[in-house]
Amino acid sequence: MTARPTARLRPTTALLAVAALAGLGGCAAAGADEPDGATGTVTVGTLKGQPHLFAPFLYEDFLPDGMEVEVVQFDTSPDIKNAVVSGNVDFGVTGVPSALSGVAAGQDVVVVAAAADGGSNIVGTTDITSVADLVGRTVGYPQGASQEILLRLTLEEHGVDIEELDLVNLPFSDMANALASGQIDAFASAELGPSIAMLDGAHQIVSPYDTPVGKVNIGLVTTQRLIDSDPELVQAVVDTHIEATEAMLADPEAWSSGVVEQFGLDAAVVDTAIGNIWPRWSLDAEYRAQVEALAEQMHGLGYLDASPTADEVIDPTFVESSTAGS
């Protein structure tokens, strides 16, 4: 896709238009296979209402003249990855596990930049003061997501057999309500559930980040076919992503305000969540090692048929060539 000069649309207009199309089956957004070259529009998928996947909403401030962005909102990270693979969107800011599952399944998906670390937590009622206290308790977890891996590894680090917990597979959006209603005693989840629960009286039981997987969570992905056909576009988007990520790091208050305004969320919840998120774009050795550790754990649990190496998942070329973050 080669972008051409065009009148810039208001992002909210583009967002609403494309989100509506996505709701009809995600079949009409301009993508890598059918680029909207006449308007120079790049399409980027991300999750609804998630501060750690907010960078695409800032892209319009940093794209080169003549390009514009349409942000397409999805409900899950696998949905974003599938839209990238199918060509319904050009890029996606999505969970690294979904990229790993795509690569392991032979799909065309490549991580070209990191997007955010953290955004996970293990919280529960205040009478649970240690990992050992989780034994015999009912604990919510999102099956197949990073947070399941973090929970399992954290339990191992503390010598607790996961079979001694009563695990309940729940959607992210149901975790806080399940805890508040007494259906579960604790949960491991992505934001915003942990922040909602903590503002409602729950507390962090243990940091989920003290394992070989670390804080790795979110990446910017595209396809090898787009890299091959239009590397200049990929470089422009990676440059834009780096600048947007740096803006989030430099001004967390503006980042929080933007999330609250965009999604109509409670400001206290968003502020609490942002305290548990570290925007990043670099693909350094630590990040690559954490991605491989995550892949190994997912493979060990049977979520991946193979354990991709970092070289099979990550293309650092565009981050290394960028001067946007220097």
Side-chain angles (χ1 to χ4, degrees), residues 77-78 81-82 85 94-111 144-146 149 213 216-222 287-300 303-314:
S77 279
K81 181 266 297 178
N82 290 336
V85 171
T94 186
V96 171
S98 66
L100 290 170
S101 66
V103 172
Q107 295 178 325
D108 184 6
V109 58
V110 182
V111 176
S146 297
I149 307 300
V213 174
V216 69
N217 194 1
I218 309 298
L220 173 66
V221 305
T222 188
Y287 185 89
R288 295 167 64 86
Q290 291 172 346
V291 168
E292 288 195 344
L294 178 60
E296 290 169 3
Q297 292 297 322
M298 292 179 69
H299 181 228
Y303 292 137
L304 303 179
D305 292 334
S307 181
T309 65
D311 287 342
E312 293 174 307
V313 179
I314 296 170

Side-chain angles (χ1 to χ4, degrees), residues 23-203:
L24 293 173
C27 58
D33 283 347
E34 298 181 63
D36 188 4
T39 62
T41 300
V42 60
T43 50
V44 183
T46 191
L47 288 183
K48 300 175 181 175
Q50 296 297 325
H52 45 315
L53 293 91
F54 192 66
F57 292 97
L58 305 180
Y59 284 3
E60 65 158 354
D61 294 334
F62 303 105
L63 278 170
D65 290 341
M67 291 180 64
E68 65 180 43
V69 60
E70 290 182 350
V71 181
V72 187
Q73 298 182 73
F74 293 87
D75 291 324
T76 70
S77 279
D79 288 343
I80 298 171
K81 181 266 297 178
N82 290 336
V84 171
V85 171
S86 66
N88 278 336
V89 296
D90 301 309
F91 295 84
V93 173
T94 186
V96 171
S98 66
L100 290 170
S101 66
V103 172
Q107 295 178 325
D108 184 6
V109 58
V110 182
V111 176
V112 290
D117 282 347
S120 303
N121 217 336
I122 300 173
V123 302
T125 53
T126 54
D127 60 315
I128 301 174
T129 60
S130 69
V131 176
D133 287 346
L134 289 171
V135 173
R137 300 299 188 110
T138 304
V139 180
Y141 78 109
Q143 190 173 49
S146 297
Q147 291 73 31
E148 180 190 357
I149 307 300
L150 296 176
L151 174 62
R152 288 178 175 276
L153 289 175
T154 299
L155 292 171
E156 288 180 13
E157 293 279 338
H158 289 264
V160 174
D161 185 345
I162 196 167
E163 297 298 327
E164 297 182 278
L165 278 60
D166 182 12
L167 293 176
V168 179
N169 179 25
L170 291 173
F172 292 119
S173 58
D174 289 352
M175 296 284 187
N177 285 338
L179 184 68
S181 66
Q183 298 176 56
I184 58 176
D185 302 304
F187 65 83
S189 173
E191 297 289 0
L192 298 166
S195 292
I196 293 171
M198 291 173 71
L199 289 170
D200 196 33
H203 75 138

Side-chain angles (χ1 to χ4, degrees), residues 257-319:
S257 297
V259 173
V260 170
E261 180 179 354
Q262 183 69 46
F263 301 114
L265 299 173
D266 182 275
V269 171
V270 174
D271 285 342
T272 302
I274 281 178
N276 185 33
I277 297 167
W278 296 264
R280 70 172 295 157
W281 49 265
S282 66
L283 298 168
D284 57 22
E286 179 185 47
Y287 185 89
R288 295 167 64 86
Q290 291 172 346
V291 168
E292 288 195 344
L294 178 60
E296 290 169 3
Q297 292 297 322
M298 292 179 69
H299 181 228
L301 290 170
Y303 292 137
L304 303 179
D305 292 334
S307 181
T309 65
D311 287 342
E312 293 174 307
V313 179
I314 296 170
D315 182 348
T317 304
F318 302 98
V319 163

